[in-house]
Amino acid sequence: MATTKTDPKLALAANGGKKNRTFEGLNREQLIQAYRFMYMSRRIDDREILLKRQQKIFFQMSGAGHEAVGVAAALALKAGYDWFYPYYRDRALCLGLGVKSYQMFLQGVGAADDPSSGGRQMPSHWSYPGLHIVTQSSPTGSQILQGVGCAEAGRYYARHPKAVEAPQSGFVDYRRFKDVAFQGDEVTYISLGDGTSSEGEFWEAMNAAALGKLPVIFCVEDNGYAISVPVEVQTAGGSISRLVSGFPNFHFEEVDGTDPVACYAAFARATRYCREGHGPAFVHAHVIRPYSHSLSDDERLYRPDAERERDAQRDPVTRTQMFLLREGVLDDKGINQLEKDVEAELQAAVDQALEALPPAPESITNFVYSPDLDPTSPAFDTQPAAEPAPAADGKKPAAKTMADLITATLRDEMKRDERIVIFGEDVADCSREEYLKRKLVKGKGGVFKLTFGLQCEFGNDRVFNSPLAEAAIVGRATGMATRGLKPVVEIQFFDYIWPAMMQIRDELSVIRWRSNNGFSCPVVIRVAIGGYLTGGAIYHSQCGESTFTHIPGLRVVFPSNALDAAGLLRTAIRCDDPVLFLEHKRLYRESFGRSAYPGPEYMIPFGKAKIVHPGTDLTVITYGAVVPRALQAAQKLEREQGVKIELIDLRSLNPFDWETIAASVSKTNRALVAYEDTLSWGYGAEIAARIADQLFDQLDAPVRRVAAKDTFVAYQPILEDAILPQPNDLYLAMKELAEY
Ligand SMILES: Cc1ncc(C[n+]2csc(CCOP(=O)(O)OP(=O)(O)O)c2C)c(N)n1
Ligand SMILES: [Mg+2]
């Protein structure tokens, strides 16, 4: 696609008559404002460095050298209209979009009133909902996929404007707590450093943007270094522009990022291309890094003086000042006055920020989860619809499997809520729609067929295949949900969730907390999990739920039967928090736990266990595919020895139902925790520890665990049987504990 290189010398040349001259379309006022923000940005950095040395703030990250590209992007785009996923060097961009210097100092001191995070994040981690600057984190590049999802959401709303509507109050629904706005020609701006372009997520995002022809501007601010690693060691051939040049549908720009006029021209062209719907744009801006990477770095250790001096010749602040003088935009007096005004503003801002109150320690758990909608509340407790009457011949309709009821729930919810989109690997019926239209194929609908028929029914805007890229699935979903959509995405096998771990651990689960409730992203991730497959082997049989229950901010549920799967999935979809919905593959089509269709309003609150089998002699706490195995063992023990086991199916793992566990163990005085995952550090370890801690006085026996061996799940069924907990292992453990 088109590549435009702007010659910096030419860009600074004036056009138009002397009086009303514009420079690439920028008038005198805009140029003065641009310089003002550039100068202010640099001086905020200097101030912060001083404050850090005086130990009045706790961290500093400078935007020095990146000012020109930032103000230019702010001039070409519109705050509160377009969307912004910047990174820590984008101080000048943020000033240009409307962030105040005082607000930046509030970040530094970690004030309660810091609008970006209320003292939860380091400075230069921007988050300003009103300006559409979306909360950013520290992992380099993890904002990029979210920016792509944000652009997809904008386009989705443009095509489905009715999806913006929210139900009336009184309905239990996440949509009531989100203001949704979109513009037909909005652009999403994503910036990153040159080093960050080595991250896989960057390439996944470029691919997704090109595939979708999305209105996204990727801006690489290339200062030639990633901390101490120079660009030629980072990027093959030393030029990111060259590496990305093969991506289709893109408009490319390579520009001197220290020249605000050239940058503005590049962004103006890029923005036009995106607004007109041609596809994404890539702006490669060559900038400098006059200060070390951060205050913790000393660049003299790896950059000789000569190189640093060469950079200093291109300092964007001095360059722009010289330009304004040379072109007669401002004279010496004008420059002096502007700088004096900025200094006065910053002095007042610092004085005020140093007086600001810190956040209250009691606030630390605020916004880990939605403050508006509690998925454990009785509002989510509804009864299943009455079973259909038997047919004339007296036959009842066949009970539905877990797979059937998950599909039915997805279908019902998609009908009810146009904000739901489903995507993942192979989830569509058929990406080549004409095959479906011409009835040449039936369609796939997921490797386990749980999304079968949904694309045909709801269209490929709402149900579509993603590239094979798990980080992209979760990252894009996170960006969409930030804009108010409800992505219900699928990770094909739990064993392959790990590329998405950064997005889940550092983004999805923490966005609400780190932005102090400024942003939220209640995505549902459905994941096929578990073993007992005879032949699943290591990479199709893993559990590992405790890795996710260990993450604050993420709800984790794990149903064991069809009815619970339907009720919990509906709660997951309507709730206002991100949910990991674990579906045991072995249970998808089991005869155990089938059920009649419970209707389109059936919900089960999170954190409510179910007593599968009441008893008085021993409490067994479990979930997932161990439930039917434990039930078998309990029934055998009761038959043989009259031992009455109370079997608890937790159903949701975070939150979990401590009340039911405590009441049961207080009655039976014995507890066994059983789970399919490896024994050590597993989910049951936390439950066992809590019982030992809080119910010690009630116990007549040690708290025991039955779980998988601390190894991997093997292919050969004899080995798999030996590794995973079997009914006989459960039986023996129950017997021993009951007799203790
Ligand atoms: C995923 C991840 N790995 C490592 C780091 C530590 N780190 C912070 S900034 C940085 C270098 C980034 O370089 P670049 O993308 O070129 O941006 P620049 O700071 O030069 O603007 C590194 C390695 C991090 N924050 N995140
Ligand atoms: Mg860099």
Side-chain angles (χ1 to χ4, degrees), residues 690-714:
R690 291 241 185 154
I691 295 172
D693 178 3
Q694 292 180 35
L695 303 173
F696 182 74
D697 295 341
Q698 319 278 339
L699 291 171
D700 289 341
V703 184
R704 289 265 158 84
R705 285 172 292 159
V706 175
K709 305 289 181 299
D710 286 335
T711 177
F712 309 94
V713 181

Side-chain angles (χ1 to χ4, degrees), residues 250-267:
F250 264 86
H251 172 84
F252 293 103
E253 295 278 349
E254 186 168 3
V255 66
D256 178 349
T258 65
D259 175 345
V261 178
C263 286
Y264 174 75
F267 281 125

